[in-house]
Amino acid sequence: MVNNNNRACIVGIGETPYRRWGTVTEESEFSLACKAIMAAAEDAGLPLSEIDGFAAHSDDRNDPARLEVTLGIKQLRLASMVWGGGGGGACASLSNAVAAVENGSANYVVVLRALCQGQQFRYGQFHEWSAHQKFSSPYGLFSPPGQAAMTFRRYVHLYQLEEEQLARVPLACRANANRNPNAVMYNKPLDLETYLNGRMIAEPYRVYDCCLETDGACALIVTTRERAADLKGKPAHVLSVGQGGDGRWGTGNFGNYNMPDDIFSLGPQRGLANELFAKAGVNRDDVDVAQIYDAFSGSVFTTLEAFGFCGEGEAGAYIDDGNIDAGGSLPINTSGGLLSEAYVHGLNLLVEGVKQVRGISTSQVKDAKVCLVTAAPVTPSSATILGSEPN
């Protein structure tokens, strides 16, 4: 049993400006990573030299040895990377950091993701070196939208989802982004007519259903409640965090295409969700706001169902009732999400979750005390429940 003083919390957050991929810049991906870490340390009131651990996901290229030397860290005690690519590890890196500070392996752990597609490669393109893409390319699936669309097309068929219902997700995210000066789509409103006139990428996904491709970095600093008392950053308490996925579910481009029908369209998050709520000691009704991984609009529908906010096949009606909009019962992606703020493999959703429980979001939910943050609905997936107060 973890001593309450040793329970983990997030004490610092930092972001760089987000920009479309390929923007001409002299800044390297490593420079962006360092700037985000420095901003998080400043937010926490923590000297950079006191950082002693790093946790990252999605094959982040900014290795701890270089960061240690560059930032002047006195001692490196943790260097952790979540296996696999994509956004499934967006909260799993937090899980590794939490475990480290709670068991004494490290004192102040940075959770980091930096992405500079303009200088490296685009995730939305076909890559001949990818084993997954080599397997899928003979079937005409050359990019993530086509691969993701196949699964969600089954959902649309099963539950007769209307295109206007699907539109509610990107419209809600864009409205939030229009209030967020750091969002790539800050000054670009979106209405239903424009959405419906958007070009079809892979049925049922139009261009506005697909996440942005951006460059940028964000970072968080995790420590114990006891150490947080000596810092200036208002802590966001990690009520629970976990990673994993339901059995019978694979990974990669065809991760679910041989799955039984009962989980084919829903995804592998139900078991994870139940464990998280039990550990946090909160119910679904206690969640004031959620940051749901939205690389594609459809994942919001299946995640709402997998996490129990509505029944299977009921997300269309739930969203239609305005629940995910500002002022609804469960506002989502209040920074704009991956669809309209930036695509940083989901870590920016975690940063926004901290802002909500601190009360400083640009689309702040009144009296928000509990925030759910989810990663991509793949295997392994991950998620966390943050609170303004400890449990």
Side-chain angles (χ1 to χ4, degrees):
M1 188 73 174
V2 178
N3 183 297
N4 279 339
N5 286 335
N6 289 336
R7 293 289 300 274
C9 57
I10 299 168
V11 292
I13 53 175
E15 301 170 278
T16 67
Y18 301 126
R19 54 181 181 252
R20 288 183 177 274
W21 80 275
T23 305
V24 176
T25 177
E26 295 180 358
E27 280 194 290
S28 68
E29 187 175 80
F30 186 73
S31 174
L32 294 173
C34 290
K35 285 187 173 182
I37 295 169
M38 292 167 66
E42 172 63 25
D43 179 58
L46 179 73
L48 286 169
S49 59
E50 294 301 308
I51 294 169
D52 59 356
F54 295 94
H57 73 287
S58 196
D59 305 320
D60 192 276
R61 286 174 286 268
N62 302 285
D63 63 274
R66 293 174 63 204
L67 291 169
E68 175 192 15
V69 173
T70 303
L71 299 174
I73 289 170
K74 292 187 299 186
Q75 181 181 13
L76 181 63
R77 304 173 68 203
L78 176 76
S80 172
M81 173 72 76
V82 178
W83 285 354
C91 296
S93 52
L94 173 65
S95 182
N96 288 348
V98 166
V101 301
E102 289 187 347
N103 69 27
S105 297
N107 296 332
Y108 302 99
V109 178
V110 167
V111 178
L112 171 70
R113 183 72 181 104
L115 191 59
C116 202
Q117 297 182 81
Q119 297 172 0
Q120 302 292 340
F121 60 84
R122 286 180 63 192
Y123 281 89
Q125 288 183 319
F126 172 75
H127 302 289
E128 61 181 10
W129 44 261
S130 167
H132 289 314
Q133 292 199 355
K134 285 180 178 179
F135 181 71
S136 63
S137 58
Y139 302 95
L141 299 176
F142 295 106
S143 65
Q147 296 148 11
M150 287 187 68
T151 307
F152 195 63
R153 186 68 189 86
R154 173 66 173 166
Y155 180 98
V156 171
H157 167 75
L158 285 174
Y159 304 117
Q160 299 299 298
L161 190 72
E162 301 291 337
E163 56 186 3
E164 291 83 3
Q165 292 175 305
L166 183 58
R168 295 292 295 260
V169 169
L171 291 176
C173 291
R174 185 64 64 88
N176 290 332
N178 292 160
R179 292 184 285 269
N180 176 12
N182 202 36
V184 171
M185 294 298 180
Y186 169 57
N187 58 353
K188 297 180 180 179
L190 179 66
D191 57 29
L192 180 60
E193 181 181 4
T194 303
Y195 169 87
L196 293 174
N197 287 330
R199 70 183 186 277
M200 189 67 72
I201 301 299
E203 190 179 358
Y205 290 146
R206 290 176 165 83
V207 63
Y208 301 108
D209 293 303
C210 303
C211 68
L212 301 172
E213 292 186 84
T214 53
D215 294 346
C218 45
L220 307 93
I221 295 178
V222 179
T223 191
T224 60
R225 294 175 186 173
E226 184 175 24
R227 294 190 184 93
D230 296 325
L231 301 175
K232 73 174 186 179
K234 180 180 178 181
H237 298 277
V238 182
L239 305 186
S240 64
V241 63
Q243 55 185 303
D246 298 347
R248 304 182 295 165
W249 194 273
T251 190
N253 301 338
F254 288 91
N256 62 335
Y257 296 157
N258 63 339
M259 293 299 106
D261 190 60
D262 63 316
I263 61 172
F264 182 94
S265 296
L266 189 59
Q269 298 172 304
R270 282 185 290 191
L272 173 63
N274 291 334
E275 289 181 0
L276 281 175
F277 282 108
K279 290 178 181 177
V282 300
N283 300 314
R284 273 74 174 172
D285 291 342
D286 296 320
V287 178
D288 301 301
V289 58
Q291 316 301 328
I292 296 177
Y293 198 91
D294 57 333
F296 304 100
S297 298
S299 63
V300 172
F301 289 76
T302 56
T303 300
L304 286 169
E305 295 175 12
F307 276 79
F309 293 102
C310 55
E312 191 168 346
E314 296 176 0
Y318 180 86
I319 290 172
D320 239 358
D321 288 340
N323 287 295
I324 68 168
D325 300 329
S329 65
L330 187 70
I332 70 162
N333 300 7
T334 43
S335 66
L338 311 186
L339 290 172
S340 283
E341 183 192 36
Y343 178 71
V344 198
H345 273 127
L347 198 62
N348 53 317
L349 298 178
L350 192 53
V351 170
E352 177 64 12
V354 174
K355 291 179 181 179
Q356 280 291 342
V357 299
R358 281 183 170 185
I360 60 171
S361 170
T362 53
S363 291
Q364 183 60 44
V365 174
K366 185 178 179 181
D367 298 326
K369 294 180 172 59
V370 178
C371 178
L372 169 70
V373 185
T374 73
V378 297
T379 295
S381 186
S382 56
T384 186
I385 299 175
L386 305 178
S388 61
E389 301 293 336
N391 56 355

